[in-house]
Amino acid sequence: MSASRQSGTTDELGPEEPEPGGAELLAALLDGMDAALCAFDADGVVTHWNREAERILGWTAAEAVGRHGFTGWAVRAADAGEVEERLLSAMDAPGRQVHEFALVTKDGGRVLVRMQSSSVRGGDGKSSGVYCAFSEVHAQIDLERSIALSEALFETASWGVVLVDADLRPAVVNEHAARAFGVGRSAVLGRPLADLLGQGVEELESALTHVLAEGTPPAPAELWVTVRAAGGEEDGDERRCWRSGFLRLSSPLAEEPVPLGVGWLFLDVTEAKQTEQLASQLRFRSQQLHRAARATAECEDPTEAATVQLDFALAGFADHALVDLLAGENPVRLVRIAATPAGPPGPCRPVATAGVPVRYPEGHPAPQSVERVGSVRASAGVGASVERVREWAAVRQWPDDSVHALCVVLRSRGRTLGVVTFLRGAGRGQFDRSDATYAESVASRVATSLDLSQALSP
C-alpha cells in the first residue's frame, strides 16, 4: 500500500471540507501505476512511495516515506550528493528532466534506473516539491525498442504490414501494403477485405478467423489473390502470391487474453513462385517426352506410337486430344483418325470414320492451323456459363466440357499432314505461349510417326 504524509486538503467547497475518499483514491491511483513513483517536498523529504517503487527497490512505503532524499539508504554515499542535487534541481527547471543513475536495493544490490522528474507547483505558482517516475533501464529500453519496431514496421518496412481488427477490417496499414492494394493508406482503413481483394479473399478471411480463435500459426502461408481495381473490378490475370505470416494480438492490460485483432505480414513472392512453377513444369514435360520416346520405340505400329506419344503428353497438360489428317487443301478437309474419349479423360485411340471429313465450320481453329502452318488458340472465355460452353464446344465438334483449345499443325519432311487439337476443361487455365511450345514439340513427334505410317501403308 502506498503511503503519504497526510495534511488538510482544500478545494472549491472550502478549506475545512476535504473531498470524501480523496486520500484513498490517490493511494489507489499511485499503487495502480505501472511506473515506480516517489515524491519529495521542498525540503527533499520523501512524501509518496508506490508499490512499483517497492517492487524495484525492495523498500516499503513505511520505510521510505519521511526519509530525507535517498542518502543513506537508496544510493551509495559517494553518489548521494550528485543524485540529490539532480533531483531537487527539477524544482526550478521548466518541464521534465530525465536522469539515469544507480539506486541501492534493500538487499544491497544496485539497479540502474531511468527517472523523469518534474516540479510540483502550488496554487501560488511556486514549487512545493518534486515528483519522480522511474523504471529499470532495461525495461525502458525494451519499451522503446518495441515502440521503435512498431513505428518502423508501419512506416519503412519492405513487406506489407496490416493490423486487422476483430471484425476483419484493416485498422492500420503501412506504405508497402497500401501499394500492394493499389490504394492510399487511409482508403484501406475500415473496409471489408472483399472490397480490396477478389480471388483468395475467402482463404485469407478463414486464416484470420482461425488466428483469432486459435492463436498464431506455426509457419507462414502462401495465398494466391487478385487485387480489385479502384472501381472494384477484379483482374483475374493478375494473380499474386503473398507469403503471409499472422500474429494474434492480445491486450496486455486485460486479466484474460482478449484478442484485439491480427497482425498480418506479407511479402509478394509471385515472380519467385512463377519461376519455381515454370521450372517444375519444364522438368515434368521433359521427363514425359523422354518416357514417351522410350515407349514409342517399342511400338511396331507407327500409328500406335503416335497415340502413345499423345497419352504421355496429356498428363498434366490437357484433358482431350484429337488427331485429324489432311484429306484436301482447297478447301481444307480433315479426317479424324484418333481421339480420346468424349467423356472422362482416357487414352487416345484410333477411330473409325470411313474417311469422312469432319464438318468443321468456317473459321474453325483446326483448318486455320493448317492454313497458317502454325498453332491457333481458342477459348470460350473465363467465367462463361455451362450452357455457353456447351454451345461453343458443340459448334466446333468438340466434347461438351471443352473450354480452351490449342490446334497445332502436324508437319514432317516439309509436308503438312494434318492437325492435332488439345482441349482443356473448366478446371484448367487457357493455353499460353509455353503450352504452345510444348504442344509443338509433341506434334513434331506425332507427325513423324504418322508420316512413317503413311510411308509403310500399301
Side-chain angles (χ1 to χ4, degrees):
M1 175 177 181
S2 66
S4 64
R5 294 196 298 177
Q6 302 297 316
S7 61
T9 59
T10 61
D11 57 22
E12 296 177 344
L13 298 178
E16 301 301 329
E17 298 181 13
E19 181 183 354
E24 290 78 3
L25 176 59
L26 176 60
L29 289 174
L30 294 180
D31 282 342
M33 295 178 63
D34 291 332
L37 185 138
C38 63
F40 302 87
D41 62 16
D43 297 325
V45 176
V46 179
T47 60
H48 297 80
W49 191 265
N50 73 346
R51 286 186 183 273
E52 185 65 11
E54 178 181 343
R55 186 193 68 80
I56 294 176
L57 297 178
W59 301 97
T60 65
E63 294 171 323
V65 172
R67 291 179 179 267
H68 188 281
F70 288 146
T71 303
W73 62 290
V75 295
R76 295 192 310 171
D79 301 331
E82 179 186 358
V83 170
E84 183 173 351
E85 179 182 354
R86 291 167 67 181
L87 290 178
L88 296 181
S89 66
M91 294 178 62
D92 302 321
R96 293 179 300 173
Q97 292 186 329
V98 180
H99 311 282
E100 287 187 8
F101 40 71
L103 295 181
V104 178
T105 63
K106 186 176 181 180
D107 59 7
R110 299 181 70 195
V111 57
L112 183 63
V113 301
R114 177 172 296 177
M115 183 176 290
Q116 297 185 22
S117 57
S118 182
S119 174
V120 179
R121 303 287 176 179
D124 56 0
K126 295 182 180 180
S127 178
S128 60
V130 176
Y131 78 85
C132 306
F134 63 92
S135 61
E136 298 175 80
V137 166
H138 70 82
Q140 183 72 19
I141 291 176
D142 288 344
L143 174 61
E144 292 177 0
R145 284 174 178 162
S146 297
I147 295 174
L149 175 61
S150 177
E151 292 180 349
L153 286 175
F154 285 109
E155 294 297 335
T156 59
S158 59
W159 55 87
V161 182
V162 181
L163 176 58
V164 182
D165 63 21
D167 295 325
L168 305 187
R169 295 172 182 255
V172 184
V173 178
N174 74 343
E175 289 286 352
H176 189 99
R179 288 195 300 270
F181 288 126
V183 293
R185 294 177 66 178
S186 59
V188 178
L189 305 183
R191 296 175 60 182
L193 292 171
D195 288 354
L196 304 170
L197 302 175
Q199 297 179 26
V201 69
E202 295 86 0
E203 291 80 358
L204 174 59
E205 290 181 339
S206 176
L208 294 171
T209 302
H210 174 79
V211 173
L212 283 172
E214 303 294 336
T216 301
E222 291 180 351
L223 303 175
W224 284 90
V225 301
T226 56
V227 179
R228 294 192 183 277
E233 297 182 355
E234 175 187 349
D235 188 350
D237 293 333
E238 289 296 328
R239 296 178 69 237
R240 313 302 300 173
C241 182
W242 290 350
R243 182 169 294 154
S244 303
F246 302 95
L247 302 168
R248 182 166 69 172
L249 306 178
S250 301
S251 173
L253 304 179
E255 293 183 4
E256 297 181 359
V258 178
L260 297 176
V262 178
W264 172 31
L265 291 80
F266 66 88
L267 185 66
D268 193 321
V269 294
T270 306
E271 293 185 4
K273 291 299 295 183
Q274 290 176 339
T275 300
E276 178 183 329
Q277 291 176 350
L278 180 59
S280 177
Q281 182 185 81
L282 290 175
R283 285 195 301 270
F284 176 75
R285 290 178 176 178
S286 175
Q287 290 172 356
Q288 288 299 98
L289 290 175
H290 175 71
R291 294 186 183 118
R294 297 191 54 155
T296 56
E298 303 300 323
C299 296
E300 295 183 4
D301 182 1
T303 302
E304 180 187 0
T307 58
V308 168
Q309 181 75 50
L310 288 173
D311 289 339
F312 278 93
L314 287 174
F317 179 69
D319 298 314
H320 302 287
L322 312 173
V323 182
D324 300 328
L325 289 184
L326 186 63
E329 296 188 7
N330 280 315
V332 173
R333 289 176 295 134
L334 296 168
V335 177
R336 180 72 42 80
I337 67 162
T340 54
C348 187
R349 293 286 184 264
V351 296
T353 59
V356 177
V358 183
R359 296 177 58 188
Y360 285 139
E362 184 178 355
H364 192 283
Q368 284 185 358
S369 177
V370 174
E371 293 170 355
R372 298 178 184 180
V373 192
S375 301
V376 177
R377 287 177 282 177
S379 177
V382 178
S385 65
V386 176
E387 293 75 13
R388 168 77 177 85
V389 168
R390 287 179 177 175
E391 179 183 353
W392 180 84
V395 169
R396 290 159 179 77
Q397 306 292 315
W398 291 334
D400 292 343
D401 60 346
S402 302
V403 179
H404 311 295
L406 173 62
C407 297
V408 185
V409 67
L410 297 171
R411 298 274 297 175
S412 178
R413 294 189 296 164
R415 298 181 302 118
T416 297
L417 303 182
V419 61
V420 57
T421 301
F422 296 98
L423 299 171
R424 287 178 175 175
R428 301 178 187 267
Q430 299 184 42
F431 291 98
D432 57 23
R433 183 59 250 177
S434 64
D435 294 329
T437 300
Y438 176 62
E440 289 164 2
S441 297
V442 174
S444 65
R445 291 165 169 78
V446 172
T448 299
S449 297
L450 294 177
D451 189 14
L452 178 60
S453 176
Q454 293 178 351
L456 296 177
S457 297

